[in-house]
Amino acid sequence: THRLLTRPSLRNFFFLTGTFLKQISIASDKKKYYFRPLYNFLYLAHRLNDAVSLHSLLIKYNEKETVIYSYWFNVWVTILVLLKRAGKINLTVLTRAHGGDYDMAQKQPGYFPFRSLEMRYVDRVMPVSEYGKMYFQRHYPGFIGKLEISRLGVTDNGDNPHPEHNVFHLVSCSFLLPIKRVNLIIEMLKHIRV
């Protein structure tokens, strides 16, 4: 079993090297790791440092009763995966996955370092759309059993009470990116009566 120490050591170096080489061995596009090896290795080293800090908080929780939920499939998932791979935690880790969390076309430098390793150690990945689930199935076919769609939104509880004044409010929390299609909100307004 791997061990993490709370200070830099040769053992940590070997843990990082082993993790890095494991990722390369299971990655579908190995070229991306060869072109940026120092960046990827340093990224992992920083995450290990974060993992050591997070571990001191997580050891207080009962492993059988605790589920860690990440709203974004991001750096925190990498940190939790390092702790799981090192055998330091045995908590259930769930993560949602939004388009920017998995779609390589939306990510610079065009890939997600250590995603294959993350998929291996995360217990459940919850894309927010059918497209997301299909994307993961296509790119990570060995982990189909970990996928479950978890859409955003709320239960329809009917109309809100109408205020006494006649002011119409429309709110969007979207980033103004082309993929969000915020322009369709404006198009929709042409078809409703207020």
Side-chain angles (χ1 to χ4, degrees), residues 118-127 142-148:
E118 291 164 344
M119 291 297 293
R120 185 178 207 177
Y121 285 94
V122 165
D123 297 286
R124 182 146 317 271
V125 177
M126 299 174 297
F143 303 103
I144 290 174
K146 294 186 175 193
L147 301 174
E148 176 184 326

Side-chain angles (χ1 to χ4, degrees), residues 108-123:
Q108 292 300 324
Y111 73 108
F112 295 89
F114 312 105
R115 183 50 48 92
S116 296
L117 194 68
E118 291 164 344
M119 291 297 293
R120 185 178 207 177
Y121 285 94
V122 165
D123 297 286

Side-chain angles (χ1 to χ4, degrees), residues 85-113:
R85 183 169 191 273
K88 288 296 191 178
I89 62 168
N90 191 25
L91 302 171
T92 300
V93 177
L94 314 176
T95 183
R96 275 189 187 256
H98 305 261
D101 295 335
Y102 61 82
D103 191 344
M104 291 182 228
Q106 297 182 45
K107 174 76 173 166
Q108 292 300 324
Y111 73 108
F112 295 89

Side-chain angles (χ1 to χ4, degrees), residues 44-55:
L44 197 59
H46 285 272
R47 301 299 71 85
L48 179 63
N49 200 23
D50 295 335
V52 169
S53 298
L54 183 61
H55 179 253

Side-chain angles (χ1 to χ4, degrees), residues 10-98:
L10 194 56
R11 183 174 284 156
N12 284 355
F13 175 77
F14 286 127
F15 174 78
L16 287 174
T17 302
T19 302
F20 181 70
L21 294 174
K22 181 68 175 175
Q23 171 60 33
I24 291 174
S25 74
I26 61 177
S28 59
D29 189 355
K30 295 175 181 20
K31 291 183 288 187
K32 293 183 177 175
Y33 291 90
Y34 297 137
F35 290 131
R36 300 187 67 184
L38 183 59
Y39 169 82
N40 289 322
F41 190 81
L42 291 175
Y43 174 87
L44 197 59
H46 285 272
R47 301 299 71 85
L48 179 63
N49 200 23
D50 295 335
V52 169
S53 298
L54 183 61
H55 179 253
S56 64
L57 298 172
L58 294 177
I59 58 174
K60 302 174 194 171
Y61 296 96
N62 182 320
E63 291 181 347
K64 292 181 180 174
E65 298 175 358
T66 304
V67 174
I68 298 177
Y69 168 78
S70 178
Y71 189 77
W72 305 101
F73 198 161
N74 63 10
V75 64
W76 288 107
V77 175
T78 308
I79 293 166
L80 291 164
V81 161
L82 286 173
L83 288 171
K84 285 188 91 166
R85 183 169 191 273
K88 288 296 191 178
I89 62 168
N90 191 25
L91 302 171
T92 300
V93 177
L94 314 176
T95 183
R96 275 189 187 256
H98 305 261

